[in-house]
Amino acid sequence: MERMVKKILVSLCMAAAILVGVSVNGTALSTAQAGYAQYYNGDSNYPLVYGHQGVAWYLDKSSIVVKKNDAEGNAFACNVITVNETGNISGSKTYWYYKVAGEDMGTAYSSPDGQNWQAFEVGSTFGYMQVLVKTFKIGWYAAFGYSYS
């Protein structure tokens, strides 16, 4: 009986580890990301941002440009490539981010052009927000050298 319980516990722990996963920067991967390569073509310059239904988004770390890093706040821009299920790049997009110094850490701003800013919740867990949120967090670390928290 004790042996059976031990087997069940080990199996449950292994299943949980597979389902949860852990990314390179220490954040938990969602179940949706489990089947995607950590880096595009094995290149650490392209870490996985998010993966869902055969599509993956990878941050191009070499594209990061710090626009502001002072007492008023921090801003950066970066490119994200979209990779389809065959492994080919199917698109790219530039993301602009701005964090006002002294504001609530739960809010940051994004823009499609660096001019028209919209607030977003940094802690959002909604699927449709994950590319925006995770690009911000991974990009922040790459741009400024420390984790956003």
Side-chain angles (χ1 to χ4, degrees), residues 27-141:
T27 59
L29 295 173
S30 69
T31 305
Q33 289 181 286
Y36 297 91
Q38 227 18 74
Y39 301 102
Y40 177 63
N41 281 342
D43 186 343
S44 62
N45 213 32
Y46 290 89
L48 177 68
V49 172
Y50 187 63
H52 185 66
Q53 293 185 338
V55 179
W57 291 264
Y58 293 90
L59 170 64
D60 176 1
K61 290 196 311 189
S62 69
S63 72
I64 294 174
V65 177
V66 175
K67 298 292 191 176
K68 186 176 196 64
N69 186 15
D70 59 27
E72 293 178 6
N74 302 80
F76 67 96
C78 60
N79 293 327
V80 173
I81 60 170
T82 305
V83 177
N84 62 27
E85 58 193 13
T86 62
N88 296 315
I89 296 173
S90 57
S92 67
K93 181 177 177 180
T94 300
Y95 288 82
W96 292 70
Y97 293 102
Y98 181 52
K99 177 65 185 133
V100 178
E103 275 193 4
D104 175 19
M105 290 296 285
T107 303
Y109 298 87
S110 68
S111 170
D113 57 12
Q115 301 295 318
N116 302 299
W117 298 94
Q118 292 193 338
F120 69 94
E121 288 184 43
V122 176
S124 177
T125 58
F126 292 113
Y128 67 90
M129 291 292 295
Q130 292 312 292
V131 174
L132 182 74
V133 169
K134 291 183 179 187
T135 298
F136 174 74
K137 290 179 179 178
I138 297 168
W140 180 280
Y141 184 83

